[in-house]
Amino acid sequence: MSRMALRGLVHKEFLQIVRDPSAIAIAVVLPFVLLLLFGYGVSLNAHSVPLALVAPASPQTGELLDGFYHSPYFVVHRYPTMADATGALMRRKVNGIVWLRSDFGRRVLTRSDARIGVFVNGVDANDAGLLEAYIQGVWLGWLSHQAQAQGSVLEEPVTVEPRIWFNSALRSRNYLVPGLIAIIMTLIGALLTAQVVSREWERGTMEALLATPVSMGDILLSKLIPYFCLGMAGMALSVMMAVWLFLVPLRGSVLVLFSVSGLYLLVALGMGLLISTVSKNQFVSATIAIVTTFLPAFILSGFVFDINSMPAPIRLLTHIVAARYFVAILQTVFGAGDLWPVVLANTAALAAMAVFFLGLTWRLSRKRLD
């Protein structure tokens, strides 16, 4: 009898989902839109940065200037004087200035102190650091070529030989898209289920459910099962777009990825049901869900902002954010593979959170009207 009642309740929830365009939009359309926006519109790399050049025309400066012109990182604008370039920087027409003094060519030939001046707009610290590094790269490349042309070796106290692991192309898309899956799962799991029980109270159907012989456990399961299926469908769509559309490498096991995703979805569903059980108003439930689940997942999970760069109290706070552990697993499975020390430790944390939130929801749910 209990299984028949549960099937009936689950069927009812699936019908409500099909008839509710907002649920379909959040589960299917929103992941598609977010992935397109972050995959194509958001980049942590700097490309085609407008750069001002103030330099005299001479054979000695030509090769150095060609390094800036042919670099994919710069869009070069020549200015006759430093005052003109400074004005362009103040008006944000360029993000940086490279200044070669009028006697730069003579100093190069005489091997005296030939310096270049670099001015960078530091409003955005991340872009300023990248721009400075790119300019230094062109400068060192030119120095090396000059040394080879003179039959000597560029003397440097330290020679750096970088080896980039897991994302050798330095594509920010390979870092952002896997982390975005955690944000999508949080939205589907927490935001949708946060309105499930409160919607029943607002529509007056909760009283009818409480009058039936079904148990409170059956009612909660009937809310979990349909949205778990909906969340896993959104997960599958996100993974397919990540791998086939954005060409993000998936080096780990698909089975591990979906197993851990299902566990995190239970955590998100538990948080959403807990909010929905405590609050009997859909608007209040949705607001609480955004503040307590979506914003922490976006800011404190390591999705965009590095956790190690945060102050110590904030780093401590991130340990209660479930998305932190899921983002770590996603970035590991996509970028490096099945590194079990990372996967198992974060999976254990997610399992503990799932038990806590689902257990607390069941504890607070009672078949009574008060």
Side-chain angles (χ1 to χ4, degrees):
M1 185 67 185
S2 178
R3 289 197 299 268
M4 291 179 61
L6 180 58
R7 284 201 301 268
L9 291 174
V10 170
H11 180 68
K12 176 186 78 71
E13 288 297 328
F14 272 116
L15 288 178
Q16 286 185 336
I17 291 174
V18 172
R19 295 169 182 173
D20 186 5
S22 62
I24 303 298
I26 293 176
V28 179
V29 179
L30 186 60
F32 182 79
V33 173
L34 285 177
L35 284 168
L36 287 180
L37 288 177
F38 277 84
Y40 289 118
V42 178
S43 176
L44 301 180
N45 303 325
H47 291 280
S48 302
V49 180
L51 179 69
L53 282 183
V54 181
S58 68
Q60 290 74 33
T61 61
E63 186 176 345
L64 175 59
L65 299 183
D66 286 342
F68 290 105
Y69 277 110
H70 296 146
S71 171
Y73 302 111
F74 304 116
V75 176
V76 177
H77 302 271
R78 291 291 294 269
Y79 289 92
T81 65
M82 190 62 189
D84 295 332
T86 303
L89 182 65
M90 296 293 290
R91 295 190 299 272
R92 299 183 68 91
K93 290 185 176 181
V94 296
N95 290 352
I97 303 172
V98 174
W99 175 35
L100 276 64
R101 295 179 175 88
S102 57
D103 60 347
F104 179 82
R106 179 181 59 81
R107 289 178 178 272
V108 169
L109 290 176
T110 58
R111 297 189 178 183
S112 57
D113 188 15
R115 299 182 180 181
I116 64 173
V118 176
F119 303 84
V120 176
N121 184 353
V123 173
D124 188 329
N126 181 65
D127 285 350
L130 290 174
L131 179 58
E132 183 181 3
Y134 293 157
I135 293 174
Q136 187 176 10
V138 173
W139 169 248
L140 291 177
W142 178 77
L143 287 178
S144 299
H145 191 270
Q146 288 291 111
Q148 292 177 1
Q150 297 171 6
S152 60
V153 179
L154 180 63
E155 296 181 0
E156 297 182 61
V158 177
T159 301
V160 179
E161 296 182 358
R163 297 290 186 272
I164 301 172
W165 288 11
F166 311 131
N167 186 11
S168 58
L170 293 178
R171 297 172 72 234
S172 60
R173 186 178 296 171
N174 293 357
Y175 172 80
L176 288 174
V177 172
L180 183 61
I181 295 176
I183 308 302
I184 292 171
M185 299 285 283
T186 304
L187 281 173
I188 296 175
L191 186 58
L192 284 180
T193 54
Q195 304 177 63
V196 170
V197 178
S198 56
R199 180 180 59 201
E200 300 279 7
W201 285 107
E202 284 190 356
R203 294 178 178 178
T205 55
M206 181 58 74
E207 289 84 350
L209 281 176
L210 296 180
T212 61
V214 297
S215 65
M216 199 64 204
D218 289 338
I219 294 177
L220 292 178
L221 278 176
S222 69
K223 307 296 182 185
L224 281 174
I225 294 173
Y227 289 97
F228 181 85
C229 297
L230 197 62
M232 293 307 292
M235 170 67 186
L237 173 63
S238 301
V239 172
M240 287 189 292
M241 289 185 64
V243 174
W244 294 337
L245 180 61
F246 299 115
L247 303 180
V248 178
L250 176 58
R251 297 188 172 93
S253 168
V254 176
L255 179 61
V256 171
L257 176 62
F258 277 86
S259 299
V260 176
S261 299
L263 180 59
Y264 177 73
L265 186 56
L266 288 177
V267 178
L269 291 170
M271 290 188 291
L273 277 179
L274 179 61
I275 295 170
S276 188
T277 301
V278 174
S279 174
K280 298 181 179 180
N281 181 276
Q282 288 192 76
F283 176 77
V284 174
S285 298
T287 303
I288 295 175
I290 291 175
V291 173
T292 60
T293 62
F294 172 72
L295 291 181
F298 194 91
I299 299 173
L300 301 178
S301 66
F303 161 55
V304 176
F305 309 105
D306 183 23
I307 294 177
N308 294 322
S309 302
M310 299 177 183
I314 303 300
R315 288 202 304 270
L316 186 63
L317 182 63
T318 62
H319 286 88
I320 64 173
V321 179
R324 168 201 169 116
Y325 305 103
F326 188 43
V327 168
I329 295 174
L330 285 171
Q331 292 175 346
T332 300
V333 172
F334 271 93
D338 298 333
L339 300 182
W340 293 111
V342 177
V343 173
L344 292 178
N346 290 282
T347 300
L350 290 178
M353 289 186 169
V355 171
F356 173 77
F357 285 113
L358 292 174
L360 185 58
T361 302
W362 179 82
R363 180 77 177 176
L364 295 177
S365 302
R366 291 292 180 266
K367 290 191 69 175
R368 58 189 185 188
L369 295 177
D370 57 344

